[in-house]
């Protein structure tokens, strides 16, 4: 009896240690773990996703095609959002969201009803909230003033359960402190606030026209806006009471875009240059960290991110042929140049 008890105890300890070691393992779950997904919008054809490992050595130009063969990805790949092991890739031109395992990129499902010009998405408690441009036209992006909506997707069934009508235009979306914050693009000047618990538009905040990229940090939403013919600025919205303060850029930084926050610095771009300012600064820096040569049809970078002490730049190119992505150190030294797909527009970190 004593031997049996001792044997069972030893066996239990061995099993616990083995399981603990397995749980602590940092081994990749799939071929595309520990790296960066680069979303390529595509031109008249299909979008694609490229992958570069964190060590900057392993690279796959077309991950989705490599894994899923001839499956049609969809036109005008807009953005990616994550939930657990899944990645949701929005193809706005095809009104489709491709659901894949984010580490193997194997196709799981397609969400292809209830969407009309889907743009960006976030996840809360098993539901995805995806902005839809509705009558938005890629040929005339300013069209479709007040019919945009949020599609509420049940991620257990990958179906659209309901819609939140916005009576406004809608573009970027951020989830913070249980509320959804949506920017209106172009000449519209509101930040929309939606309560996902009631699926209602609660209020709106006047922040000025042409708001685009935004990020929340420590109870403040930082929104970059760049009105045509006016000064660019960062609008800071204190989320607890919706009070506003602004950092207005000098004329030399007109047309600023692509805000990202990393380690208490706000990074932003103007044409082909990258700048940074302290998050509490009252003035924008006019000294560039990076300046590269672009072949973009827009004359500026099309995608941008800062992460892991690196600056990531996507050059849109001419939208007919594969284009370039560049990876710099946080101080501006070029570390890697990649030939990715057509029209690269965003970076997503898959760790």
């Amino acid at each position: 009896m004593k031997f049996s008890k001792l044997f069972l105890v030893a066996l239990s300890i061995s099993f616990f240690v083995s399981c603990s070691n397995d749980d602590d393992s940092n081994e990749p779950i799939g071929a595309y773990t520990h790296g960066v997904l680069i979303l390529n919008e595509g031109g008249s054809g299909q979008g694609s996703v490229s992958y570069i490992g964190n060590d900057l050595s392993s690279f796959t130009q077309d991950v989705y095609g490599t894994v899923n063969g001839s499956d049609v990805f969809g036109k005008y790949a807009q953005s990616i959002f994550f939930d657990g092991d899944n990645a949701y890739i929005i193809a706005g031109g095809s009104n489709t969201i491709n659901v894949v395992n984010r580490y193997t990129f194997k196709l799981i499902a397609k969400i292809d009803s209830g969407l009309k010009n889907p743009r960006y998405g976030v996840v809360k408690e098993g539901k995805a909230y995806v902005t839809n441009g509705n009558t938005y036209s890629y040929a005339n992006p300013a069209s479709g003033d007040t019919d945009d909506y949020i599609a509420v997707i049940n991620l257990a069934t990958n179906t659209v359960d309901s819609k939140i009508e916005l009576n406004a235009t809608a573009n970027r979306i951020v989830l913070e402190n249980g509320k959804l914050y949506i920017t209106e693009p172009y000449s519209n000047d509101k930040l929309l606030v939606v309560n996902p618990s009631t699926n209602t538009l609660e209020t709106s905040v006047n922040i000025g026209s042409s708001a685009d990229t935004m990020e929340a940090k420590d109870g403040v939403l930082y929104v970059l806006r760049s009105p045509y013919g006016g000064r660019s600025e960062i609008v800071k919205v204190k989320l607890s009471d919706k009070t506003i303060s602004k950092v207005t850029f000098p004329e030399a930084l007109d047309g600023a875009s692509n805000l990202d926050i990393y380690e208490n610095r706000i990074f932003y771009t103007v044409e082909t240059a990258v700048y940074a300012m302290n998050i509490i600064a009252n003035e924008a820096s006019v000294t560039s960290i990076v300046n590269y040569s672009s072949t973009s049809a827009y004359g500026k970078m099309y995608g941008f991110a800062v992460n892991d002490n690196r600056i990531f730049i996507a050059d849109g190119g001419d939208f007919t042929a594969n284009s370039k992505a560049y990876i710099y150190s946080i101080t501006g030294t070029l570390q890697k140049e990649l030939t990715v797909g057509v029209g690269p527009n965003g970076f997503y970190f898959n760790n």
Side-chain angles (χ1 to χ4, degrees):
M1 290 292 292
K2 289 182 180 180
F3 174 81
S4 298
K5 288 181 180 179
L6 288 172
F7 176 79
L8 289 173
V9 169
L11 183 63
S12 298
I13 293 173
S14 174
F15 177 79
F16 176 79
V17 170
S18 175
C19 288
S20 297
N21 288 341
D22 288 344
D23 291 343
D24 292 341
S25 172
N26 200 33
E27 289 298 312
I29 302 170
Y32 307 110
T33 314
H34 306 319
V36 184
L37 304 175
I38 306 167
L39 186 62
N40 305 301
E41 183 175 305
S44 58
Q46 303 295 310
S48 65
V49 177
S50 302
Y51 167 87
I52 179 73
N54 288 338
D55 59 3
L56 304 186
S57 61
S58 55
F59 175 69
T60 304
Q61 188 181 64
D62 180 5
V63 175
Y64 189 88
T66 298
V67 175
N68 297 296
S70 60
D71 181 78
V72 177
F73 181 83
K75 293 183 179 181
Y76 305 127
Q78 180 65 42
S79 63
I80 299 175
F81 62 92
F82 298 113
D83 181 48
D85 290 345
N86 290 347
Y88 299 79
I89 311 165
I90 297 176
S94 298
N95 298 322
T96 299
I97 301 176
N98 298 281
V99 187
V100 302
N101 180 290
R102 65 189 290 180
Y103 305 117
T104 67
F105 246 71
K106 184 69 175 175
L107 179 66
I108 297 170
K110 287 179 180 286
I111 305 169
D112 54 10
S113 63
L115 304 171
K116 193 166 184 181
N117 287 318
R119 305 284 293 164
Y120 298 91
V122 295
V123 173
K124 181 179 187 293
E125 297 174 353
K127 298 287 183 70
Y129 298 83
V130 177
T131 56
N132 282 254
N134 205 355
T135 54
Y136 169 95
S137 166
Y138 286 92
N140 181 18
S143 65
D145 291 332
T146 60
D147 61 359
D148 294 11
Y149 63 91
I150 295 174
V152 183
I153 302 171
N154 184 331
L155 297 182
T157 60
N158 289 317
T159 56
V160 174
D161 273 356
S162 59
K163 296 179 181 179
I164 305 172
E165 301 291 348
L166 296 174
N167 193 33
T169 54
N171 192 35
R172 306 273 185 172
I173 183 169
V174 166
L175 171 67
E176 187 69 12
N177 295 332
K179 298 292 177 69
L180 305 173
Y181 296 90
I182 301 107
T183 53
E184 286 195 298
Y186 315 116
S187 60
N188 304 289
D189 60 5
K190 299 293 192 298
L191 174 71
L192 308 176
V193 185
V194 169
N195 187 337
S197 298
T198 59
N199 280 3
T200 56
L201 175 63
E202 280 194 342
T203 188
S204 60
V205 183
N206 192 325
I207 59 173
S209 64
S210 302
D212 190 21
T213 49
M214 59 179 171
E215 186 170 342
K217 183 175 175 64
D218 299 330
V220 177
L221 186 66
Y222 297 82
V223 186
L224 182 63
R225 56 179 293 269
S226 297
Y228 179 76
R231 301 291 80 81
S232 299
E233 62 184 10
I234 294 173
V235 182
K236 303 178 183 180
V237 183
K238 187 177 179 182
L239 298 181
S240 60
D241 59 10
K242 307 303 184 294
T243 54
I244 287 175
S245 60
K246 298 180 179 181
V247 177
T248 302
F249 289 5
E251 186 176 358
L253 298 178
D254 281 0
S257 56
N258 297 314
L259 173 147
D260 202 359
I261 297 175
Y262 181 73
E263 292 190 344
N264 292 317
R265 289 201 292 169
I266 302 172
F267 290 80
Y268 50 95
T269 71
V270 179
E271 296 180 349
T272 60
V274 179
Y275 303 83
M277 58 183 280
N278 192 286
I279 200 167
I280 62 172
N282 295 317
E283 295 183 357
S285 171
V286 295
T287 303
S288 64
I289 302 170
V290 171
N291 208 325
Y292 80 105
S293 297
S294 172
T295 61
S296 171
Y298 296 99
K300 62 181 181 180
M301 63 190 74
Y302 200 55
F304 173 75
V306 183
N307 191 64
D308 193 27
N309 284 315
R310 287 170 174 158
I311 297 169
F312 298 81
I313 292 172
D315 191 75
D318 61 4
F319 293 90
T320 62
N322 291 338
S323 191
K324 297 287 187 179
Y326 305 92
I327 303 174
Y328 290 84
S329 72
I330 201 71
T331 56
T333 301
L334 181 63
Q335 296 182 334
K336 196 75 174 181
E337 176 180 325
L338 303 167
T339 299
V340 291
V342 176
N345 65 10
F347 300 90
Y348 302 86
F349 302 96
N350 204 29
N351 296 313

